Amino acid sequence: AQSVTQLGSHVSVSEGALVLLRCNYSSSVPPYLFWYVQYPNQGLQLLLKYTTGATLVKGINGFEAEFKKSETSFHLTKPSAHMSDAAEYFCAVRGGDNQGGKLIFGQGTELSVKP
Amino acid sequence: ETGVTQSPTHLIKTRGQQVTLRCSSQSGHNTVSWYQQALGQGPQFIFQYYREEENGRGNFPPRFSGLQFPNYSSELNVNALELDDSALYLCASSLEIRSDTQYFGPGTRLTVL
C-alpha cells in the first residue's frame, strides 16, 4: 500500500527566501512521485514528477525536488520565493497498476509568502 | 490541444437529491479518474474509467457511479446526497491507463444543504 505524509500544513516564508516543503512517502513498489500546486478555486497543476532515473527533478516555476530512497522523502524546494508562489501544494504517490494507477495525495501544505 | 474541462463550476443541492457532474478529457486520452477534495484536505480517489469500463475504485459507496463515453467525456453521478458530499470534485485524464501523468480539470464545487 502507498501513503504520503506532508510535514507542516502551513509554511510561511519571506519573498526571496528559500522554500522547503516536506514530503515523506510509503510505498510497497518503486514509487512514482509528484508535486502538484493548487491556486484558490482552481484545479491541480503538475509542478514536477519523479518516475525513474535522475533523482533530482526540475519542474516549472523554478521548483525542484530530490528523491531520496533511503529517507523515503521527496521534498520540494525553490531557492527564492516569489509572491506568486503562494498556493496549496500537494505531494502524491502513484498507486500500483492493480489500483488503477490512482494518485494518493498528502493533506497539503499551504505556502504563504510575505513581502 | 484543449485541456480538461468540467461543468458546472458550482452546484448547490439539497440532501437526498441526485447530481451529475461532467468532464471533458483532453483529446485522445482514454483514461479518466475522479477525485473528491473536501475542504482543507487532499484529493481522494473515487474511481477510474478506461475505455468506458470502470478500472479501480476507492473507498466510496455505490451511490457514487460513473460513465465514460467514446467522445472522451465522462460523468460522475451521486445519488442520495449527504451533507458530507460537499466538496470539490476533480476529474483527471491521462493518455493511457499506464501513463504516469494525469491532467486535472478546474473542478466542480458541490454544496449540499
Side-chain angles (χ1 to χ4, degrees):
Chain A
Q2 288 85 11
S3 66
V4 172
T5 301
Q6 291 184 239
L7 302 176
S9 59
H10 187 261
V11 170
S12 182
V13 301
S14 297
E15 192 173 19
L18 172 71
V19 175
L20 171 60
L21 305 183
R22 300 178 186 273
C23 171
N24 288 90
Y25 70 90
S26 171
S27 179
S28 55
V29 297
Y32 285 9
L33 295 160
F34 306 82
W35 276 99
Y36 282 86
V37 61
Q38 186 176 37
Y39 297 100
N41 300 312
Q42 294 188 26
L44 301 176
Q45 180 182 9
L46 180 66
L47 277 177
L48 49 78
K49 64 182 178 183
Y50 168 79
T51 54
T52 58
T55 56
L56 182 61
V57 179
K58 296 186 184 298
I60 62 172
N61 301 337
F63 285 94
E64 62 182 38
E66 186 170 11
F67 169 61
K68 292 187 176 180
K69 183 178 179 180
S70 61
E71 299 177 8
T72 61
S73 69
F74 190 58
H75 301 331
L76 181 71
T77 60
K78 181 174 180 178
S80 177
H82 191 271
M83 296 296 291
S84 61
D85 294 328
E88 188 88 20
Y89 292 79
F90 293 96
C91 180
V93 63
R94 185 180 186 273
D97 287 341
N98 63 346
Q99 300 174 325
K102 68 180 181 181
L103 291 174
I104 300 155
F105 288 87
Q107 293 287 85
T109 297
E110 182 181 0
L111 176 65
S112 300
V113 182
K114 298 175 291 186
Chain B
E1 179 181 284
T2 59
V4 179
T5 60
Q6 293 185 243
S7 63
T9 305
H10 296 88
L11 200 54
I12 299 175
K13 292 285 189 178
T14 56
R15 200 168 38 178
Q17 286 188 311
Q18 178 267 341
V19 69
T20 297
L21 310 182
R22 294 179 173 82
C23 171
S24 181
S25 300
Q26 288 191 199
S27 180
H29 285 198
N30 62 23
T31 304
V32 65
S33 302
W34 285 89
Y35 294 82
Q36 180 196 66
Q37 185 179 16
L39 199 62
Q41 304 292 319
Q44 298 287 318
F45 176 74
I46 303 174
F47 45 55
Q48 181 185 77
Y49 277 78
Y50 169 64
R51 293 186 175 178
E52 303 167 48
E53 297 285 335
E54 186 177 297
N55 178 72
R57 188 178 184 91
N59 189 28
F60 282 82
R63 60 189 184 85
F64 285 77
S65 63
L67 287 171
Q68 185 186 26
F69 304 102
N71 66 349
Y72 310 118
S73 67
S74 60
E75 292 180 353
L76 165 65
N77 298 288
V78 187
N79 294 321
L81 284 168
E82 300 177 359
L83 298 180
D84 285 348
D85 296 333
S86 296
L88 180 68
Y89 289 85
L90 299 162
C91 76
S93 73
S94 48
L95 185 62
E96 280 289 344
I97 194 168
R98 292 182 183 274
S99 297
D100 53 62
T101 301
Q102 298 184 18
Y103 297 89
F104 283 81
T108 293
R109 174 72 63 186
L110 172 65
T111 301
V112 182
L113 302 176

